[in-house]
Amino acid sequence: ESSKSKELIRKYERLSETYKEIDEKEFRIVFAGTYSSGKSSTINALIGKNLLPTATGTCTAKICRIVHSADTKCLAVVCYDLNGVQKEFECKSVEDVQNRIKTVEEAVETIEVYTDLTSLYPKGVQNNFKIVIIDTPGTDSATGNDTAKSEEDAKRLSKKSHIEITKDILQSKQKEMVVLISDEKFEDENIVELLDIIEESAEQDGGAFNDRFLFVMNMCDALSYSNQ
């Protein structure tokens, strides 16, 4: 309590949460990128289930954690905390899962989807750790804001909140792997910000850069190239 180190105080404040994460032996893979760059589609293809909603515009406005659970009796269980009350829904179809995610209340910050991810494990290590795939909001997406005076203001305000959400995750130690998804919007200023964070993280990793970061260029056929 008397420490002047903000970093030490922050670590102390989340000590119980950190202990829980270590005890649960999670292996977290964070997906980041601009809006509509294909994060959710890539995750759906990876897990072999269309659990996350996909569309041309913004789909994931919350942090969505897909957690491996081999004991789930239905397709997936969607959980989230709403003002201190734990909500839990058993879903039997991908449509049900997507609707639960799309209609979640504004006050909810994180959604957890428990489903069987056994197909992602190398043979014989399913019991060694728990895979968690984290889908982050598109960093330059707009969700609208009643207090904004214009559509441009709404985009600016939501853009800030979404980029901050993603930056917080990327700057934290609570990740084992990062997948940065980009498309024809690769010159977007938010991609530059994310790359700066990844570069800083790589320096701190001391040589583990190649093991922890994966860069994916999605929809390459939409790009045009000059002969010059």
Side-chain angles (χ1 to χ4, degrees), residues 102-181:
K102 289 190 290 187
T103 59
V104 69
E105 290 84 348
E106 185 64 30
V108 174
E109 295 182 355
T110 302
I111 305 168
E112 294 199 328
V113 179
Y114 292 87
T115 191
D116 192 345
L117 300 178
T118 301
S119 61
L120 299 184
Y121 284 83
K123 188 176 181 180
V125 299
Q126 289 93 333
N127 297 324
N128 294 358
F129 57 91
K130 182 188 298 180
I131 289 179
V132 179
I133 295 175
I134 302 175
D135 190 16
T136 60
T139 54
D140 54 358
S141 57
T143 58
N145 191 306
D146 293 337
T147 62
K149 296 181 180 179
S150 67
E151 183 177 343
E152 185 175 342
D153 284 341
K155 184 173 182 178
R156 175 180 57 80
L157 292 172
S158 61
K159 172 181 175 180
K160 179 180 179 181
S161 63
H162 284 183
I163 184 66
E164 290 301 324
I165 289 172
T166 301
K167 285 169 65 176
D168 286 345
I169 293 176
L170 291 180
Q171 289 174 330
S172 75
K173 297 292 185 182
Q174 311 310 314
K175 62 185 185 301
E176 281 69 43
M177 189 173 187
V178 174
V179 181
L180 180 62
I181 306 284

Side-chain angles (χ1 to χ4, degrees), residues 26-201:
E26 292 186 349
F27 184 90
R28 292 167 290 265
I29 308 174
V30 177
F31 282 74
T34 57
Y35 81 99
S36 194
S37 59
K39 297 189 309 300
S40 298
S41 296
T42 302
I43 293 173
N44 285 341
L46 180 65
I47 65 178
K49 307 173 187 178
N50 293 322
L51 299 185
L52 298 179
T54 59
T56 304
T58 302
C59 290
T60 308
K62 315 284 185 180
I63 297 172
C64 187
R65 287 167 41 94
I66 303 178
V67 184
H68 171 61
S69 177
D71 299 328
T72 304
K73 296 181 180 179
C74 52
L75 175 63
V77 177
V78 177
C79 305
Y80 54 84
D81 184 279
L82 179 60
N83 300 322
V85 179
Q86 188 70 20
K87 300 286 186 176
E88 183 174 307
F89 305 93
E90 293 188 355
C91 303
K92 297 181 179 180
S93 67
V94 294
E95 292 79 12
D96 195 8
V97 177
Q98 292 183 19
N99 288 333
R100 289 295 180 186
I101 293 174
K102 289 190 290 187
T103 59
V104 69
E105 290 84 348
E106 185 64 30
V108 174
E109 295 182 355
T110 302
I111 305 168
E112 294 199 328
V113 179
Y114 292 87
T115 191
D116 192 345
L117 300 178
T118 301
S119 61
L120 299 184
Y121 284 83
K123 188 176 181 180
V125 299
Q126 289 93 333
N127 297 324
N128 294 358
F129 57 91
K130 182 188 298 180
I131 289 179
V132 179
I133 295 175
I134 302 175
D135 190 16
T136 60
T139 54
D140 54 358
S141 57
T143 58
N145 191 306
D146 293 337
T147 62
K149 296 181 180 179
S150 67
E151 183 177 343
E152 185 175 342
D153 284 341
K155 184 173 182 178
R156 175 180 57 80
L157 292 172
S158 61
K159 172 181 175 180
K160 179 180 179 181
S161 63
H162 284 183
I163 184 66
E164 290 301 324
I165 289 172
T166 301
K167 285 169 65 176
D168 286 345
I169 293 176
L170 291 180
Q171 289 174 330
S172 75
K173 297 292 185 182
Q174 311 310 314
K175 62 185 185 301
E176 281 69 43
M177 189 173 187
V178 174
V179 181
L180 180 62
I181 306 284
S182 187
D183 56 7
E184 73 274 12
K185 301 187 294 297
F186 60 86
E187 293 182 347
D188 188 277
E189 61 183 26
N190 288 300
I191 288 292
V192 177
E193 284 192 67
L194 296 181
L195 287 172
D196 287 341
I197 296 171
I198 289 174
E199 184 178 10
E200 292 174 7
S201 181

